[in-house]
Amino acid sequence: MPASHRPDIELWKNRFDLDHPPDMDLFKFPLMNIEDLSKTEPFLLLLNSRARLEPCNFAYSDLLSTSFGLKADYIVPDYLEGHFMIFRDRSTPETYGQLYRIDEPGDAAEDPTRCWFAAGEGLWIMKIQDRLYKFLVKCCEKILHDIAPELLVPSDDELELNGPSLTMSSSVNSEGIKNLAIASFEELYKGTARTDFDHVASIVKAMQASAEDHLWSLRENPGYLSMHVKTAKDHSIECMPDLEGQRHPLFVQNKQDIFWGRMFGQVISNAMRDVDLFGVLNDKIIFLSRFMKWYEDAIDVDQDLPQLFGKALFQVQYFAICGSGFIAHDLQFQKTVFGSPPLRMNYRRVVPDPEEYVKVHIQPQIPEHADKVRDDVEHILEIMSDEKMHFCLANTGIVDELELLAQRQPAAKAFVSASVAEQISVLGTLYECTKHCQHFQPWIIGYEQYLLHHAGELKDSFDREFKHVQNIGKLDDQFWSYLAKIIMDRPSGSFEYPTREQRDKNSVEIMRKTEDIADEFWTETIKYMRRLAAVSPRVDKVLARDLKRTEPWIAPIITLPQSDSSEKGEGKGKAKENPKAKAKGKGKAKAKGEDAVLPSFDQLILEARAENEAILQKQKKSQEEQIDRVKITVDKRALKVFHATFYDENELYQQGDVAWKDFIHAMKAAGFSIEKLFGSAWHFKPSDPKTKETIILHEPFMAGKLSFAVLQHYRRRLSRIYGWDRNTFALAT
């Protein structure tokens, strides 16, 4: 038995080591390894599930566990043309995995073809199960060594199947936070998993809302746009030295406008892509969930699914697979991964033609210092971005592997930047969709057959839904560089957005000028993208939201000291009488020709005082209404986080960053159940049954703290979805 977790991946890492020929058994039995089975949960879950359920329940999952070796051609099953095997509902040695001819199916003719396995695959299933069950029997014999072997096996009439399942799990930590990667890992040893499309729908809908709010923040907040463009620049391989240590031709030839055009194009294209991707997938999962509810009592494993139900299931599977491939195979994803600050030192840029600045490749370099954790992270990211290997491991948890590595080796997170982690979150969501489709047994086995007959129809549907995204990919450097010049051709510092500075006349004027530049940029961008059919109705709907802009500067009102007569007559703090009225009343006592009109400055002061009083009354009424609202009571630590999130705009200069651990604590204190998803994504579900909308927020990888720009983005999202503000929270007594 191999020592390490996922020995098949470990072997693939060392595939070029000619001195040590590969042991093919590592690809055949990847779940059987000392590292995983030495843990409490995997071994007991495996033992419990195999003891209480018949082997036929695990036939498909056992075959799927070897999919990496099969799809990567490290395992070649035997081939017997014109034959198939049946495992379903076969519980005797004579009938289990029985072999049939296709032209003479015999009693198997009653079984739907989705329950048929190719003869080579069926033989492979029996080899896996033969070794696995022998191993478990030996384990039981050693555990129960003081009982005679003949007494360990009950008679047929004493055999009790379908007993209680084991509920133990390490996927939920001591704080009640669930880790989806650990839960998926444990499901591998259970062998059977329940399809939960409601949970998938909740995640996809939250990802759609996150994508829409991200796009809108890029449109509305120049500081947020600037932050993401700078992040794209930090991940660009154009800034990476070549093999000879030279700069990229774009900078040598003074073509920075093309470079910045690429950065703006990358940020905007990815944002629009995610809005469409999750919008389409959400619609299809909602459609599928409706069929699940309609036919819940009518689903029979002996019958095919209703035609529309089956079509909806296979469409979700197809769109999720194609969507993940669309992202992972994108050259820009590979550039972002290996051009990221934690990894770029191990790569160099390769330009085939010194005059060519469009085609850029990278080449790995031998690192100065060996680091196994970094190497493991690089290999997992390499699999994600490699077309063939992505296909081999996408459905067996490559994203989960990165999270499990971070659990075993916390230092692994230091090699994944926040930008890369967010892209992994997108891929992970798509993989989760395909995983739950695969759990819908036995009907999903018919997917390959459906794809064979409807490949053209599915492809046309995908192309139709994503035609706008594909048109975005056709926009060239000339298009984006023209738009980037709107911002980059301004004087240095003209795109500053000092949101953290204390508001004064100068800072407000700077913000308003920057907003004008951003509005001009977005107006031109959207106008030209619409002409090229690169803006979908979903994106249009997001961009149609009301735009919030900085109000013109109004100097604060200076309160003048009250006179002695006013304090005696009206009491301290009361407003003075209107001097015009006093002058009118004393007109007879005044000398003839005396001017009864006060200077214009005093008039302005009095008018300002009246306006100020009206504002104070309005604020007082608003505060009284907020007091009447039901408040969320939290502890001191959580209250500090929410006060920092929903900051006082008059004290922005005092605003600091918020630690992610403190933010998690605050959300839990506010009554949210929390689930760690993929990459940097965390899923927050409110405990209030009236509030069904969940939210996904991203952990700040590497930094550990939420920056002000991100916190400002989260503040707007939480306010929009849940109606929260600074006065929503109170200290628990």
Side-chain angles (χ1 to χ4, degrees):
M1 185 179 292
S4 65
H5 167 79
R6 285 307 296 257
D8 51 345
I9 298 180
E10 199 68 32
L11 180 62
W12 178 81
K13 294 177 187 176
N14 303 313
R15 61 194 181 280
F16 300 118
D17 186 358
L18 301 179
D19 296 331
H20 300 85
D23 179 3
M24 289 303 152
D25 275 357
L26 299 181
F27 290 103
K28 299 174 185 177
F29 310 99
L31 299 183
M32 298 182 68
N33 61 83
I34 294 173
E35 181 179 349
D36 292 336
L37 291 176
S38 296
K39 298 174 183 176
T40 304
E41 291 82 6
F43 176 72
L44 292 180
L45 290 170
L46 178 65
L47 192 62
N48 176 262
S49 62
R50 300 287 171 154
R52 73 184 188 85
L53 295 173
E54 294 181 351
C56 64
N57 293 282
F58 307 98
Y60 184 73
S61 60
D62 285 340
L63 181 64
L64 196 64
S65 70
T66 65
S67 63
F68 178 72
L70 288 168
K71 293 178 179 178
D73 298 328
Y74 288 104
I75 302 174
V76 182
D78 298 319
Y79 180 67
L80 187 60
E81 185 178 2
H83 290 75
F84 66 93
M85 297 174 73
I86 294 287
F87 291 88
R88 189 174 69 92
D89 296 336
R90 308 298 172 97
S91 56
T92 64
E94 295 77 20
T95 60
Y96 188 69
Q98 193 166 350
L99 185 67
Y100 296 90
R101 287 179 59 90
I102 291 178
D103 54 354
E104 296 179 5
D107 61 331
E110 301 298 325
D111 284 271
T113 55
R114 63 171 180 274
C115 297
W116 297 3
F117 286 90
E121 292 179 342
L123 183 60
W124 198 248
I125 291 170
M126 299 188 78
K127 287 181 178 180
I128 294 170
Q129 293 187 346
D130 177 63
R131 177 171 175 176
L132 178 59
Y133 281 97
K134 284 179 179 177
F135 165 74
L136 292 176
V137 169
K138 288 181 180 179
C139 287
C140 291
E141 289 175 349
K142 288 186 176 294
I143 293 170
L144 305 172
H145 58 86
D146 53 346
I147 301 176
E150 63 271 12
L151 299 177
L152 286 176
V153 182
S155 60
D156 291 342
D157 57 339
E158 295 175 328
L159 189 62
E160 184 179 334
L161 293 174
N162 300 315
S165 61
L166 200 62
T167 57
M168 67 184 305
S169 175
S170 61
S171 62
V172 180
N173 66 14
S174 58
E175 297 178 352
I177 299 174
K178 181 179 179 180
N179 189 303
L180 194 59
I182 296 177
S184 298
F185 166 70
E186 291 175 350
E187 282 177 0
L188 296 175
Y189 289 92
K190 291 179 183 179
T192 57
R194 185 176 65 89
T195 295
D196 188 354
F197 284 122
D198 287 339
H199 181 248
V200 174
S202 175
I203 293 175
V204 172
K205 183 179 180 181
M207 285 295 286
Q208 180 189 3
S210 176
E212 290 175 350
D213 290 343
H214 169 64
L215 175 60
W216 179 243
S217 286
L218 292 175
R219 168 65 185 95
E220 184 180 56
N221 188 341
Y224 190 78
L225 173 64
S226 178
M227 178 187 72
H228 279 275
V229 170
K230 289 176 181 176
T231 300
K233 177 245 182 188
D234 293 338
H235 287 71
S236 65
I237 64 173
E238 287 88 347
C239 292
M240 183 188 295
D242 65 13
L243 292 172
E244 298 179 356
Q246 301 299 314
R247 299 174 68 200
H248 192 277
L250 284 177
F251 302 109
V252 175
Q253 301 171 14
N254 196 28
K255 295 181 178 179
Q256 286 91 337
D257 57 326
I258 294 179
F259 169 76
W260 285 112
R262 290 180 183 179
M263 300 304 103
F264 279 99
Q266 178 185 331
V267 170
I268 295 171
S269 299
N270 288 349
M272 291 183 174
R273 176 204 67 196
D274 291 349
V275 169
D276 281 333
L277 181 63
F278 289 113
V280 171
L281 198 56
N282 184 47
D283 291 345
K284 295 196 174 297
I285 291 179
I286 290 174
F287 197 52
L288 178 59
S289 297
R290 288 174 182 169
F291 279 117
M292 288 283 290
K293 290 180 173 63
W294 290 345
Y295 293 102
E296 185 175 6
D297 299 328
I299 294 178
D300 186 349
V301 294
D302 293 323
Q303 302 293 328
D304 289 330
L305 291 175
Q307 185 177 4
L308 291 178
F309 190 176
K311 183 178 179 180
L313 173 66
F314 297 145
Q315 277 197 342
V316 170
Q317 174 82 334
Y318 182 85
F319 272 68
I321 291 174
C322 290
S324 62
F326 187 82
I327 295 172
H329 304 162
D330 182 12
L331 184 61
Q332 190 56 58
F333 175 72
Q334 299 176 27
K335 291 180 180 180
T336 300
V337 168
F338 299 109
S340 62
L343 299 179
R344 67 188 310 152
M345 65 186 70
N346 299 328
Y347 295 87
R348 287 295 179 267
R349 177 173 44 81
V350 179
V351 183
D353 183 351
E355 299 298 323
E356 179 63 74
Y357 51 80
V358 176
K359 296 178 181 179
V360 183
H361 306 285
I362 55 174
Q363 181 174 307
Q365 302 292 295
I366 298 176
E368 295 182 4
H369 306 287
D371 190 323
K372 186 178 184 308
V373 176
R374 180 196 61 214
D375 293 343
D376 289 343
V377 172
E378 285 186 346
H379 280 122
I380 292 175
L381 294 174
E382 183 181 347
I383 291 174
M384 282 187 198
S385 57
D386 181 271
E387 184 171 357
K388 181 178 179 180
M389 302 315 299
H390 159 83
F391 171 71
C392 295
L393 262 181
N395 298 330
T396 56
I398 187 60
V399 173
D400 292 336
E401 286 305 312
L402 185 61
E403 179 63 28
L404 293 173
L405 176 62
Q407 293 292 321
R408 298 194 306 272
Q409 300 285 349
K413 292 178 69 173
F415 297 104
V416 182
S417 70
S419 181
V420 171
E422 288 185 13
Q423 291 296 304
I424 293 172
S425 303
V426 174
L427 285 172
T429 304
L430 300 172
Y431 296 158
E432 187 70 5
C433 292
T434 61
K435 184 182 77 174
H436 279 265
C437 287
Q438 287 182 332
H439 290 167
F440 200 62
Q441 298 292 334
W443 299 277
I444 196 60
I445 300 176
Y447 172 72
E448 297 293 338
Q449 198 73 9
Y450 182 87
L451 184 61
L452 185 65
H453 293 93
H454 300 85
E457 177 187 337
L458 288 170
K459 184 180 183 303
D460 290 343
S461 177
F462 182 85
D463 291 342
R464 186 168 56 252
E465 294 281 8
F466 290 99
K467 65 179 181 180
H468 300 94
V469 176
Q470 293 169 348
N471 287 340
I472 292 175
K474 298 175 183 177
L475 303 178
D476 56 14
D477 283 342
Q478 183 179 1
F479 173 85
W480 290 112
S481 62
Y482 163 74
L483 294 170
K485 288 179 181 178
I486 296 175
I487 293 176
M488 304 311 298
D489 282 358
R490 310 275 175 165
S492 177
S494 61
F495 204 66
E496 292 181 1
Y497 201 61
T499 51
R500 295 190 74 163
E501 294 183 11
Q502 191 169 9
R503 296 291 172 87
D504 56 22
K505 184 177 182 180
N506 183 54
S507 64
V508 168
E509 287 181 354
I510 292 174
M511 290 174 67
R512 286 173 59 79
K513 287 179 180 178
T514 302
E515 289 169 355
D516 289 342
I517 297 172
D519 290 343
E520 181 184 350
F521 168 80
W522 278 101
T523 300
E524 290 295 300
T525 300
I526 296 168
K527 179 178 70 175
Y528 284 107
M529 290 183 75
R530 280 182 179 143
R531 287 181 183 176
L532 300 170
V535 179
S536 70
R538 288 184 180 85
V539 170
D540 250 337
K541 185 177 179 181
V542 174
L543 297 176
R545 293 180 183 179
D546 292 334
L547 198 63
K548 183 180 178 181
R549 284 291 171 246
T550 304
E551 297 292 336
W553 169 253
I554 299 177
I557 299 169
I558 302 174
T559 305
L560 298 180
Q562 303 288 342
S563 64
D564 293 340
S565 60
S566 175
E567 291 180 6
K568 291 177 183 178
E570 300 294 337
K572 199 169 184 178
K574 298 282 185 179
K576 290 183 179 181
E577 289 184 39
N578 190 331
K580 286 186 177 181
K582 290 181 93 179
K584 185 177 180 180
K586 296 180 180 179
K588 295 180 181 179
K590 288 186 178 182
K592 190 175 181 179
E594 186 178 0
D595 187 7
V597 181
L598 292 176
S600 60
F601 177 75
D602 289 348
Q603 283 184 345
L604 291 174
I605 290 294
L606 291 170
E607 290 172 2
R609 282 179 178 170
E611 291 178 6
N612 203 25
E613 183 67 25
I615 293 172
L616 290 173
Q617 291 296 330
K618 186 177 180 180
Q619 290 177 347
K620 183 178 179 181
K621 184 179 180 181
S622 176
Q623 290 172 359
E624 290 173 351
E625 290 174 352
Q626 290 169 352
I627 291 173
D628 292 337
R629 285 189 335 192
V630 177
K631 288 182 176 289
I632 300 175
T633 55
V634 295
D635 58 27
K636 188 176 181 180
R637 178 185 175 190
L639 187 64
K640 183 179 179 181
V641 170
F642 286 125
H643 278 180
T645 304
F646 299 95
Y647 47 80
D648 185 344
E649 293 192 354
N650 295 321
E651 299 176 357
L652 284 177
Y653 61 96
Q654 298 178 359
Q655 176 66 37
D657 298 336
V658 173
W660 180 251
K661 289 183 178 179
D662 292 339
F663 187 84
I664 289 291
H665 170 81
M667 293 296 285
K668 194 171 188 316
F672 281 73
S673 60
I674 304 174
E675 185 178 32
K676 172 68 176 70
L677 299 182
F678 335 90
S680 59
W682 290 65
H683 190 207
F684 300 88
K685 182 178 180 181
S687 57
D688 185 357
K690 297 179 182 178
T691 307
K692 295 183 179 181
E693 189 164 358
T694 62
I695 187 171
I696 285 178
L697 301 174
H698 290 273
E699 174 185 1
F701 262 50
M702 298 176 64
K705 290 186 176 183
L706 294 169
S707 66
F708 176 73
V710 175
L711 201 63
Q712 191 178 34
H713 175 60
Y714 287 177
R715 173 199 185 192
R716 293 180 179 180
R717 295 201 65 209
L718 292 167
S719 296
R720 184 185 63 81
I721 295 174
Y722 302 116
W724 288 357
D725 57 28
R726 188 180 180 87
N727 296 296
T728 301
F729 306 93
L731 185 64
T733 57

